[in-house]
Amino acid sequence: MNKEIKSIRGMHDYFPKDLKIWNHIETILKEVLTSYCYLEIRLPLLEKTEIFKRAIGHVTDVVEKEMYSFNDRKGNSLTLRPEGTVGCVRAIIQNHSLHKKNNRFWYLGPMFRYERPQKGRYRQFHQLGAEVFGLDREDIDLEMILLTNRLWKRMGIDSYLTLEINSIGSKTDRFQYKKKLVLFLEKYQNLLDQDCKRRLYTNPLRILDTKNIEIQKILEKAPLLTEYINLSSHNHFKNLCSMISSYGIQYKHNKKLVRGLDYYNNTVFEWKSNKIGSKDAICAGGRYDSLIEEMGGPKTPAIGFAIGIERLVLLIQSLKIFSENIQDIDIYIIFIGEHNKCHALNLSEEIRNLHPRLKIFINFFDQNLKKKIKNAINSSARIAILIGDNEIEKECFLVKDLKKEKEFYLSKTQLIVQVKDFF
Ligand code: ATP
Ligand code: MG
């Protein structure tokens, strides 16, 4: 029996039609990041498994059950990156890039997590990540919020996203708080679901993040992390909140907001939308002031965020604010007879020399003239150019204005110069 060849579950193909919106988003992302002087960095998809285990945390969901890890031919354990920060920090330390004057970076690419695929959650998904090294004051936290807010404005989706922020303090604060939280939750142990029971002694903070409404009710009476936060973290957060307000950005202080990866401290934030179902976080970020040192680098504060591109695409599609009618073809060239193919090629090359942005399509298919003209009309092209023996003899081309449904002859020189007037 012939087995159908299929892609891996949760990993998708993206065709040109899908990629129009992707390219639109990527253009805005790059423009805005550049306007804040972030520099692009490209990193490997594979890293040693060990660095993710150490940095993300052995008892996090990502490391416990979501990583794609395997041994290479020499028996070294490698992992397809589940996120970008760890690889970025590894690269910055390895390439001694921390002393640079500008330590603002961004990257865009696929991440891999073995999760249950559903709307907004895939096994291969794409993140735009941004990281800033060497700044510990709240100014840079603010600038990141301003940057992401500007992204949503440029995309026309700012009124559909809300900002939630919190401070998770220092490791010591969380250690003290965890003890209190566990003591509290132990009283309700038999009411917890499987996931929360498992997390109770491994990663109790993540229970705060539960989607289970019954457990959310229990948590209403739970001790609050905010009350365990040291003075300096508290002030950092207070200043940040008042600066965000002074820029007119609305936010919600979500006292239960935590992050799924262990390396965060102080500021954490998420931009959420209620338009994309329960997978509502489009962008998530926070500070990770001790990660660089823990990974063997010099003591350096840092902050970053990551945007889930698929979720951004879902949001923009659900709002129907993106028009997919982008021209694929501007000029459609039809030659009649194999021996005229070279004239079509020469003409297209000459037009491109003068007008490099025009999209010129030569129909190389083995089709009759009627079919070729029909295809030209059905394409997005503004004009079609016909090249047959007649035209070559008269030293001019038949130009069909497909919008005004008119046609006329132009010499090659006239055509090359005047063609721009159509666009
Ligand atoms: P979630 O709570 O939704 O699982 P997370 O805390 O695991 O998110 P991060 O590791 O902070 O997510 O990743 C940042 C962003 O990347 C998320 O806000 C989301 O937009 C996107 N993202 C994360 N996991 C996936 C996935 N499996 N598929 C699609 N997008 C994802
Ligand atoms: Mg997750």
Side-chain angles (χ1 to χ4, degrees), residues 6-183:
K6 279 192 175 163
S7 69
I8 294 163
R9 200 161 107 85
M11 303 200 179
H12 299 287
D13 306 310
Y14 297 99
F15 273 78
K17 194 175 151 291
D18 314 312
L19 291 178
K20 283 185 180 170
I21 189 161
W22 281 65
N23 286 327
H24 163 75
I25 289 172
E26 285 176 22
T27 305
I28 296 177
L29 290 171
K30 288 176 194 174
E31 274 176 23
V32 173
L33 283 156
T34 306
S35 79
Y36 284 82
C37 296
Y38 281 64
L39 306 171
E40 187 181 4
I41 179 166
R42 294 197 186 184
L43 304 158
L45 301 194
L46 275 177
E47 297 278 355
K48 290 181 186 154
T49 303
E50 188 48 34
I51 70 164
F52 293 116
K53 283 193 176 165
R54 263 176 48 199
I56 297 175
H58 290 264
V59 290
T60 54
D61 281 359
V62 171
V63 168
E64 269 188 339
K65 28 177 217 181
E66 295 175 1
M67 293 207 305
Y68 278 93
S69 302
F70 59 92
N71 286 350
D72 71 6
R73 285 165 196 274
K74 286 209 166 136
N76 303 308
S77 180
L78 305 180
T79 293
L80 275 168
R81 62 182 188 190
E83 55 88 84
T85 304
V86 172
C88 185
V89 168
R90 194 268 311 134
I92 295 297
I93 298 172
Q94 184 178 339
N95 294 283
H96 308 289
S97 295
L98 281 167
H99 58 276
K100 297 257 167 65
K101 290 254 160 33
N102 184 4
N103 281 327
R104 290 168 164 85
F105 298 101
W106 67 268
Y107 47 83
L108 175 67
M111 307 293 159
F112 304 84
R113 293 185 194 177
Y114 193 83
E115 300 197 71
R116 194 168 67 78
Q118 54 197 285
K119 186 179 169 196
R121 193 178 291 293
Y122 312 99
R123 290 184 173 173
Q124 175 174 327
F125 62 100
H126 295 74
Q127 277 186 347
L128 177 289
E131 320 285 351
V132 177
F133 301 106
L135 298 171
D136 61 357
R137 301 281 300 273
E138 48 278 5
D139 319 78
I140 192 66
D141 310 27
L142 170 73
E143 198 190 67
M144 269 197 171
I145 305 279
L146 293 174
L147 186 162
T148 42
N149 188 54
R150 187 176 291 275
L151 285 173
W152 319 139
K153 277 210 168 120
R154 282 283 308 276
M155 292 174 194
I157 56 174
D158 50 313
S159 47
Y160 305 96
L161 282 167
T162 48
L163 173 65
E164 294 190 1
I165 51 174
N166 193 20
S167 176
I168 57 167
S170 69
K171 225 180 198 163
T172 327
D173 301 341
R174 285 197 304 281
F175 182 75
Q176 298 302 336
Y177 171 68
K178 266 184 209 169
K179 287 199 284 196
K180 299 282 175 209
L181 183 65
V182 172
L183 275 178

Side-chain angles (χ1 to χ4, degrees), residues 62 66 82-83 113 115 118 120-127 206 209 211 258-261 263-264 270-271 278-285 305-312:
V62 171
E66 295 175 1
E83 55 88 84
R113 293 185 194 177
E115 300 197 71
Q118 54 197 285
R121 193 178 291 293
Y122 312 99
R123 290 184 173 173
Q124 175 174 327
F125 62 100
H126 295 74
Q127 277 186 347
R206 207 68 221 271
D209 216 17
K211 301 267 188 302
V258 287
R259 306 253 13 97
L261 318 174
Y263 50 66
Y264 288 103
E270 276 187 4
W271 285 96
S278 64
K279 303 296 149 277
D280 53 2
I282 289 205
C283 168
F305 68 82
I307 298 173
I309 305 289
E310 281 83 354
R311 292 191 195 173
L312 201 52

